[in-house]
Amino acid sequence: MSAHANIPAGTDLLEEINRLRKERNAVILAHYYQRPELQDLADFVGDSLELSKKAAETDADVIAFCGVKFMAETAKILSPEKIVVLPDMEAGCSLEDSCPPEKFAAFRERHPDHIALTYINCSTEVKALSDVIVTSSSAETILSQIPRDQKIIFGPDRHLGGYLNRKFDRDMLLWPGVCIVHEAFSERELMKLMQANPGAPVAAHPECPPNIIDHADYVGSTSGILNFAKTFPGDTLIVATEPHIIHQMEKAIPEKTFLGAPGADGNCNCNICPYMALNTMEKLYLCLRDLEPRIEIEEQLRLDAKRSLDKMLEMAAGTVGKGDLGNPSGD
Ligand code: 13P
Ligand code: SF4
């Protein structure tokens, strides 16, 4: 049954969401890849690290998470006493799917002298099997605190891991996962766009493959890219990440032009995250009304996963808002 079927005709969704958020003492958190209307009504919009911190700090009774499942699970792990609802439980992530916990556990067993530094885009089970979690905005700070002779497994994103290996001259063992959204950028189409906009810098998320990163003037998390958009000196920026972030750029700097990097068809629509796109106003209204679907995590699993997340929050202290993996050439 579609979400609409449960909504009385004539419902003013925004009015109802605003009424319910007060009634439920709910906080609405949204990732930068959400539809503009969800970003606009959220109490807080941010990158994965910032949203985790907000979830850990909030005194709301309910967290309505406009993002994907691993993000809502992170909120529940950090705030177990809160009701955490996700508008659509099917909002997964290709990186999470690429890393089944049994296979990850077996991989760890084959490398007993390695620690597991794991990207937050993974299941709660994989977090429980990891030593330290990172986000794209905290990875650099955290990796720099790990001695160079410590052997490391990095999963599940081989592009982020490969980028960190190249930039910091490390040899982390990489799990072979990818983000289907960032994999879809076309180098050929990007070069055409760069030629058509001479001098326009390129800002890229580190989930992009190396042939896209090689063209980037700036590489960083979503909040890092947004900061770059606010400060770069030119008037046009090419953005190689999920295009919904451009909404925040256009709001903050309406006089500048932001161009989404294209996919193979020359159109950036194939770079819309299909999982993030599942969340809608209708589903947000329903989850605030019904307090379903809810994230539930078995307590021992939660505690096991919390260890690696707490380690991230401790080691990343001070990085929130910086969102920075910086310049790919390291200067
Ligand atoms: P950020 O941590 O940069 O917000 O990235 C999350 C994500 O899923 C990117 O695809
Ligand atoms: Fe996962 Fe990629 Fe979507 Fe981010 S953009 S949630 S990494 S599939």
Side-chain angles (χ1 to χ4, degrees), residues 189-301:
E189 295 298 327
L190 173 62
M191 286 169 73
K192 278 197 219 160
L193 190 62
M194 290 167 70
Q195 264 161 20
N197 294 274
V202 175
H205 197 279
E207 288 175 13
C208 291
N211 66 341
I212 299 296
I213 295 280
D214 284 349
H215 297 284
D217 299 279
Y218 176 83
V219 179
S221 71
T222 49
S223 61
I225 291 174
L226 188 56
N227 284 344
F228 183 77
K230 289 177 183 164
T231 51
F232 82 103
D235 57 16
T236 303
L237 177 67
I238 298 174
V239 181
T241 193
E242 213 272 4
H244 283 114
I245 194 173
I246 291 177
H247 178 59
Q248 291 296 329
M249 297 174 181
E250 288 173 341
K251 272 172 81 169
I253 323 109
E255 64 282 8
K256 296 204 176 189
T257 303
F258 301 101
L259 303 170
D265 60 355
N267 175 324
C268 74
N269 278 348
C270 57
N271 299 103
I272 289 176
C273 174
Y275 307 101
M276 292 274 184
L278 289 173
N279 295 328
T280 60
M281 288 280 280
E282 285 82 3
K283 292 177 198 170
L284 175 61
Y285 158 70
L286 287 173
C287 78
L288 281 168
R289 187 189 74 182
D290 304 339
L291 296 181
E292 295 286 347
R294 247 181 236 205
I295 302 284
E296 305 286 2
I297 303 172
E298 189 271 318
E299 184 59 6
Q300 190 53 53
L301 174 63

Side-chain angles (χ1 to χ4, degrees), residues 31-33 46-49 68 70-71 93 95 119-121 135-137 179 181-182 205-207 220-223 241-242 276:
H31 189 266
Y32 291 123
Y33 294 167
D47 74 6
S48 305
L49 181 61
V68 291
F70 77 80
M71 296 178 178
C93 170
L95 282 168
Y119 194 30
I120 197 164
N121 298 37
T135 63
S136 49
S137 59
C179 161
V181 173
H182 290 84
H205 197 279
E207 288 175 13
S221 71
T222 49
S223 61
T241 193
E242 213 272 4
M276 292 274 184

Side-chain angles (χ1 to χ4, degrees), residues 30-85:
H31 189 266
Y32 291 123
Y33 294 167
Q34 290 290 284
R35 297 165 188 273
E37 61 272 26
L38 293 175
Q39 294 189 35
D40 286 347
L41 62 73
D43 294 291
F44 185 79
V45 188
D47 74 6
S48 305
L49 181 61
E50 293 163 338
L51 293 172
S52 307
K53 293 211 68 158
K54 283 283 166 198
E57 287 161 9
T58 183
D59 55 10
D61 296 318
V62 174
I63 299 173
F65 211 116
C66 297
V68 291
K69 194 163 162 228
F70 77 80
M71 296 178 178
E73 285 180 351
T74 299
K76 185 69 182 176
I77 294 166
L78 296 171
S79 282
E81 70 292 352
K82 314 254 187 298
I83 292 173
V84 179
V85 286

